[in-house]
Amino acid sequence: SSVDQLSPCAPAALLVVNVMPFVDFSHIAREWRCKFSADSDNASLMAAQAKLEEILADVSSIEGVVSVQRVVCGGCLDFKVVTKLTKKEFEAWEKAGFAPEADFLGALKAIAGISNIETQTYTLEEVKMNKKDIKKAQEKKEKEQAEKPKDEKPPEDPAKKLKKVIKEGGKRGVEIEGAADMGGLQFFCTSVDEPEGDVALLVESVKAMNAKSDPADEERKGGSGHIGKMVFSAGTSQLAIVAYVPEEKQGELVCEEWLAKVVGVHAGGKVLKAGKDYSTGCIPTDADKGVFPLKIREGLILEANNFLRSKGLFPEDN
């Protein structure tokens, strides 16, 4: 935009185009403004309004005029007249000296209480959207929000997380002991949620399952250390797996072999640590191959049970 105080300046339309080459516009406005005084019940404002009414017909009939607006601010004591034209016609009006600008501003200058008389040129566009464009914009925004990655929850306090893992493992141990005793099972395969695919936490969960029950405890937990087990935990990046074989059953089943059979079902699956009692492994997520922890978990539990059946360590399906 350009501003002058009743003084010659560079062609306003040219200045607007040069200063704002990256903003699309098809209209240019010329603003006449001044300050009025609140004295004598705003007498200067009423006089300025009267002068506007005198030239309003002439301004409204200028070729290319789109709108003529009056702005009055009682707080700032501003009086403004804004005339908007198409860009092409504005250039022609500028060559004509913005008539009747000189006469109008001269009349304002003669009014007692009127001050700070200025002019300004700027682009003025209607940017309100129609209903169709509003709908498109809303749909675009909704799509962008849907495609944004979900905000990751802040990491949980490790001590609190471990407490949850152990609590869940202890309860699951009681469930495993009960189910195994009822079915005469030596081995059991299951899954837990709290470790969320973390192998180290899953080991702690299995240890909690195997912990000896304390009769003095108000809530019974653990108690399944005599039962071999394979436990799964699904996370975002991987499926964690822990195999456990109690000492008295290690002659019948090799812990590492059992785990290797299961992790080998999917490419990328691996044994992380091999042991006679505890062995750990994982299968990483692979979206390209359709390998997702939750999706493959149940199938691998069946695979683990089938391996036990091949060894005569798990009952056949009826």
Side-chain angles (χ1 to χ4, degrees), residues 103-152:
D103 292 341
F104 177 62
L105 297 182
L108 290 179
K109 191 174 182 181
I111 298 172
I114 293 293
S115 60
N116 297 89
I117 300 171
E118 297 177 338
T119 64
Q120 185 171 3
T121 297
Y122 44 74
T123 68
L124 185 60
E125 294 296 333
E126 175 63 58
V127 294
K128 179 184 176 182
M129 289 182 166
N130 57 37
K131 290 183 179 179
K132 185 177 180 181
D133 289 337
I134 290 172
K135 185 178 179 181
K136 283 183 179 178
Q138 290 173 337
E139 290 174 348
K140 181 182 178 183
K141 185 177 180 181
E142 289 171 2
K143 183 180 178 182
E144 289 174 349
Q145 289 177 339
E147 291 175 349
K148 280 184 179 179
K150 299 294 182 182
D151 292 336
E152 294 183 6

XYZ file of all heavy atoms in Angstrom, residues 103-152:
399
model
N -10.862 18.210 -4.425
C -11.913 19.099 -3.918
C -12.415 18.635 -2.550
O -12.623 19.448 -1.640
C -13.089 19.144 -4.902
C -12.717 19.841 -6.209
O -11.716 20.590 -6.211
O -13.416 19.622 -7.217
N -12.580 17.321 -2.392
C -13.107 16.786 -1.142
C -12.116 16.993 0.004
O -12.493 17.440 1.099
C -13.420 15.294 -1.306
C -13.909 14.634 -0.050
C -15.083 15.040 0.569
C -13.191 13.585 0.544
C -15.538 14.432 1.734
C -13.638 12.978 1.695
C -14.818 13.397 2.305
N -10.852 16.701 -0.267
C -9.853 16.863 0.794
C -9.657 18.339 1.148
O -9.413 18.683 2.310
C -8.523 16.240 0.360
C -8.544 14.714 0.102
C -7.156 14.223 -0.263
C -9.075 13.964 1.307
N -9.776 19.189 0.126
C -9.680 20.630 0.394
C -10.819 21.093 1.278
O -10.637 21.930 2.181
N -12.011 20.530 1.035
C -13.171 20.891 1.847
C -13.005 20.400 3.284
O -13.378 21.088 4.242
C -14.437 20.300 1.219
N -12.441 19.195 3.452
C -12.184 18.678 4.802
C -11.197 19.562 5.555
O -11.363 19.837 6.750
C -11.632 17.237 4.723
C -12.578 16.124 4.280
C -11.831 14.798 4.242
C -13.776 16.024 5.214
N -10.174 20.016 4.836
C -9.131 20.833 5.459
C -9.697 22.142 6.006
O -9.199 22.691 6.997
C -8.026 21.111 4.433
C -6.771 21.721 5.026
C -5.687 21.834 3.956
C -4.402 22.412 4.559
N -3.335 22.555 3.531
N -10.760 22.592 5.406
C -11.358 23.870 5.806
C -12.275 23.739 7.021
O -12.732 24.752 7.561
C -12.142 24.459 4.632
N -12.560 22.499 7.456
C -13.474 22.278 8.577
C -12.698 22.370 9.891
O -11.681 21.679 10.086
C -14.152 20.894 8.462
C -14.986 20.796 7.194
C -15.022 20.622 9.690
C -15.521 19.400 6.930
N -13.187 23.175 10.811
C -12.561 23.296 12.128
C -12.719 21.981 12.887
O -13.818 21.417 12.942
C -13.219 24.432 12.914
N -11.603 21.465 13.448
C -11.652 20.208 14.188
C -11.208 19.007 13.382
O -11.010 17.911 13.926
N -11.038 19.188 12.064
C -10.547 18.102 11.210
C -9.028 18.204 11.115
O -8.474 19.286 10.889
C -11.163 18.177 9.790
C -12.664 17.906 9.842
C -10.472 17.173 8.861
C -13.040 16.490 10.247
N -8.341 17.057 11.279
C -6.870 17.047 11.216
C -6.394 15.733 10.601
O -7.197 14.842 10.311
C -6.277 17.206 12.614
O -6.696 16.131 13.458
N -5.065 15.631 10.427
C -4.422 14.401 9.924
C -5.100 13.879 8.655
O -5.471 12.717 8.556
C -4.444 13.303 10.995
C -3.662 13.675 12.234
O -4.218 14.282 13.158
N -2.385 13.328 12.250
N -5.239 14.741 7.679
C -5.860 14.333 6.410
C -4.836 13.548 5.596
O -3.733 14.040 5.332
C -6.354 15.568 5.629
C -7.391 16.330 6.462
C -6.951 15.134 4.296
C -7.786 17.669 5.878
N -5.187 12.333 5.208
C -4.271 11.454 4.464
C -5.027 10.685 3.397
O -6.261 10.581 3.439
C -3.607 10.444 5.408
C -2.730 11.059 6.483
C -2.155 10.005 7.419
O -2.739 8.903 7.514
O -1.118 10.286 8.038
N -4.255 10.147 2.463
C -4.810 9.214 1.478
C -3.969 7.948 1.482
O -2.797 7.972 1.873
C -4.801 9.808 0.054
O -3.434 10.010 -0.347
C -5.571 11.113 0.008
N -4.565 6.868 1.043
C -3.827 5.600 0.961
C -4.421 4.745 -0.145
O -5.646 4.763 -0.380
C -3.888 4.845 2.289
C -3.038 3.573 2.299
C -2.937 2.953 3.676
O -3.543 3.419 4.643
N -2.168 1.887 3.781
N -3.560 3.994 -0.819
C -3.983 3.078 -1.880
C -3.590 1.665 -1.495
O -2.466 1.424 -1.047
C -3.318 3.445 -3.221
O -3.755 4.755 -3.594
C -3.678 2.448 -4.311
N -4.507 0.722 -1.669
C -4.216 -0.677 -1.345
C -5.178 -1.598 -2.095
O -6.193 -1.147 -2.639
C -4.332 -0.938 0.169
C -5.540 -0.330 0.840
C -6.810 -0.863 0.663
C -5.400 0.778 1.679
C -7.915 -0.299 1.287
C -6.499 1.347 2.309
C -7.765 0.794 2.116
O -8.862 1.349 2.732
N -4.820 -2.878 -2.125
C -5.741 -3.849 -2.728
C -6.856 -4.133 -1.734
O -6.657 -4.067 -0.523
C -5.025 -5.167 -3.074
O -4.649 -5.826 -1.861
C -3.802 -4.922 -3.935
N -8.024 -4.431 -2.262
C -9.167 -4.719 -1.397
C -10.003 -5.805 -2.066
O -10.645 -5.568 -3.089
C -10.003 -3.456 -1.176
C -11.177 -3.570 -0.202
C -10.697 -3.964 1.185
C -11.954 -2.253 -0.145
N -9.953 -7.015 -1.500
C -10.636 -8.154 -2.100
C -11.637 -8.781 -1.137
O -11.392 -8.855 0.077
C -9.620 -9.229 -2.528
C -8.689 -8.797 -3.637
C -9.406 -8.503 -4.946
O -10.482 -9.088 -5.190
O -8.900 -7.673 -5.720
N -12.729 -9.248 -1.666
C -13.707 -10.021 -0.899
C -13.204 -11.461 -0.832
O -13.014 -12.100 -1.861
C -15.077 -9.984 -1.601
C -16.133 -10.847 -0.951
C -16.459 -10.399 0.469
O -16.858 -9.246 0.652
O -16.278 -11.242 1.382
N -12.916 -11.948 0.370
C -12.351 -13.293 0.506
C -13.296 -14.269 1.212
O -12.908 -15.392 1.529
C -10.998 -13.253 1.258
C -9.959 -12.532 0.433
C -11.149 -12.613 2.629
N -14.514 -13.822 1.476
C -15.480 -14.722 2.103
C -15.764 -15.897 1.167
O -15.975 -15.731 -0.028
C -16.778 -13.976 2.402
C -17.848 -14.862 3.025
C -19.158 -14.101 3.213
C -20.231 -15.033 3.748
N -21.533 -14.350 3.890
N -15.762 -17.107 1.732
C -16.012 -18.308 0.939
C -17.506 -18.552 0.749
O -18.304 -18.236 1.642
C -15.408 -19.541 1.627
C -13.910 -19.611 1.625
S -13.357 -21.152 2.412
C -11.649 -21.182 1.908
N -17.842 -19.153 -0.400
C -19.222 -19.607 -0.575
C -19.373 -20.973 0.081
O -18.394 -21.570 0.546
C -19.609 -19.653 -2.055
C -18.678 -20.553 -2.874
O -18.230 -21.595 -2.397
N -18.384 -20.151 -4.098
N -20.584 -21.474 0.145
C -20.840 -22.733 0.853
C -20.048 -23.898 0.263
O -19.549 -24.754 0.990
C -22.338 -23.049 0.828
C -23.172 -22.121 1.695
C -24.637 -22.521 1.689
C -25.457 -21.604 2.588
N -26.893 -21.971 2.585
N -19.920 -23.918 -1.051
C -19.187 -25.005 -1.719
C -17.710 -24.996 -1.328
O -17.124 -26.041 -1.016
C -19.329 -24.861 -3.230
C -18.710 -26.004 -4.024
C -18.954 -25.823 -5.509
C -18.328 -26.962 -6.313
N -18.547 -26.776 -7.775
N -17.102 -23.789 -1.325
C -15.687 -23.678 -0.978
C -15.450 -23.956 0.505
O -14.419 -24.506 0.898
C -15.162 -22.283 -1.335
C -15.042 -22.085 -2.835
O -14.942 -23.099 -3.544
O -15.068 -20.933 -3.294
N -16.425 -23.550 1.349
C -16.318 -23.831 2.785
C -16.278 -25.333 3.010
O -15.460 -25.850 3.788
C -17.506 -23.219 3.553
C -17.400 -21.691 3.556
C -17.551 -23.736 4.993
C -18.620 -20.992 4.118
N -17.149 -26.066 2.314
C -17.204 -27.526 2.456
C -15.890 -28.165 2.024
O -15.358 -29.050 2.685
C -18.362 -28.089 1.640
C -18.567 -29.585 1.840
C -19.763 -30.085 1.038
C -19.935 -31.590 1.243
N -21.082 -32.120 0.447
N -15.330 -27.683 0.899
C -14.061 -28.220 0.405
C -12.942 -27.986 1.406
O -12.115 -28.872 1.667
C -13.695 -27.556 -0.926
C -14.476 -28.074 -2.128
C -13.964 -27.403 -3.394
C -14.706 -27.913 -4.623
N -14.234 -27.227 -5.858
N -12.904 -26.763 1.980
C -11.859 -26.427 2.945
C -11.972 -27.275 4.208
O -10.964 -27.730 4.757
C -11.942 -24.940 3.306
N -13.197 -27.501 4.653
C -13.405 -28.316 5.853
C -13.001 -29.764 5.611
O -12.382 -30.401 6.472
C -14.867 -28.233 6.282
C -15.258 -26.870 6.845
C -16.738 -26.743 7.119
O -17.559 -27.461 6.543
N -17.099 -25.826 8.009
N -13.346 -30.279 4.431
C -12.979 -31.662 4.091
C -11.466 -31.818 3.998
O -10.905 -32.821 4.435
C -13.635 -32.065 2.778
C -15.147 -32.241 2.889
C -15.802 -32.495 1.543
O -15.121 -32.318 0.490
O -16.991 -32.889 1.521
N -10.802 -30.792 3.432
C -9.340 -30.825 3.325
C -8.701 -30.829 4.704
O -7.761 -31.580 4.975
C -8.850 -29.625 2.516
C -7.338 -29.591 2.334
C -6.916 -28.348 1.571
C -5.390 -28.293 1.432
N -4.945 -27.049 0.741
N -9.234 -29.978 5.601
C -8.701 -29.888 6.968
C -8.881 -31.201 7.703
O -7.968 -31.683 8.399
C -9.405 -28.760 7.718
C -8.857 -28.498 9.107
C -9.562 -27.323 9.756
C -9.009 -27.057 11.149
N -9.702 -25.914 11.802
N -10.066 -31.816 7.566
C -10.342 -33.089 8.231
C -9.407 -34.183 7.721
O -8.924 -35.016 8.489
C -11.796 -33.489 8.004
C -12.781 -32.616 8.778
C -14.219 -32.882 8.382
O -14.447 -33.768 7.527
O -15.123 -32.211 8.921
N -9.153 -34.156 6.394
C -8.266 -35.160 5.801
C -6.846 -35.002 6.319
O -6.172 -35.983 6.666
C -8.278 -35.027 4.275
C -7.437 -36.074 3.565
C -7.493 -35.897 2.059
C -6.615 -36.930 1.364
N -6.615 -36.735 -0.109
N -6.373 -33.738 6.401
C -5.015 -33.476 6.892
C -4.866 -33.896 8.344
O -3.849 -34.446 8.748
C -4.692 -31.991 6.740
C -4.491 -31.558 5.297
C -4.317 -30.064 5.154
O -4.570 -29.329 6.153
O -3.933 -29.607 4.054
N -5.901 -33.637 9.143
C -5.853 -34.010 10.557
C -5.857 -35.523 10.715
O -5.184 -36.078 11.589
C -7.039 -33.395 11.309
C -6.923 -31.887 11.477
C -8.128 -31.273 12.158
O -9.209 -31.856 12.177
N -7.961 -30.099 12.732
N -6.621 -36.210 9.839
C -6.689 -37.671 9.906
C -5.356 -38.302 9.523
O -4.984 -39.365 10.021
C -7.797 -38.191 8.997
N -4.621 -37.629 8.612
C -3.351 -38.166 8.141
C -2.190 -37.837 9.066
O -1.116 -38.400 8.945
C -3.058 -37.618 6.735
C -4.005 -38.174 5.670
C -3.789 -37.532 4.318
O -3.059 -36.515 4.253
O -4.356 -38.037 3.336
N -2.420 -36.886 9.991
C -1.353 -36.541 10.926
C -1.078 -37.704 11.859
O -2.010 -38.374 12.310
C -1.762 -35.325 11.774
C -1.585 -33.996 11.079
C -1.932 -32.877 12.048
C -1.749 -31.518 11.395
N -2.113 -30.428 12.332
N 0.186 -37.965 12.150
C 0.470 -39.032 13.114
C -0.093 -38.684 14.480
O -0.053 -37.533 14.897
C 2.010 -39.080 13.154
C 2.444 -37.740 12.655
C 1.400 -37.300 11.672
N -0.653 -39.658 15.119
C -1.214 -39.437 16.446
C -0.103 -39.023 17.415
O 1.013 -39.541 17.359
C -1.878 -40.720 16.970
C -3.028 -41.214 16.105
C -4.192 -40.253 16.111
C -5.344 -40.799 15.285
N -6.479 -39.873 15.213
N -0.431 -38.060 18.237
C 0.552 -37.623 19.232
C 0.911 -38.787 20.143
O 0.038 -39.441 20.704
C -0.013 -36.478 20.078
C -0.197 -35.215 19.248
O 0.503 -35.102 18.236
O -1.033 -34.378 19.626
N 2.185 -39.050 20.218
C 2.624 -40.137 21.077
C 2.461 -39.739 22.539
O 2.749 -38.609 22.923
C 4.093 -40.472 20.790
C 4.324 -41.047 19.393
C 5.769 -41.432 19.192
O 6.546 -41.349 20.165
O 6.128 -41.814 18.075
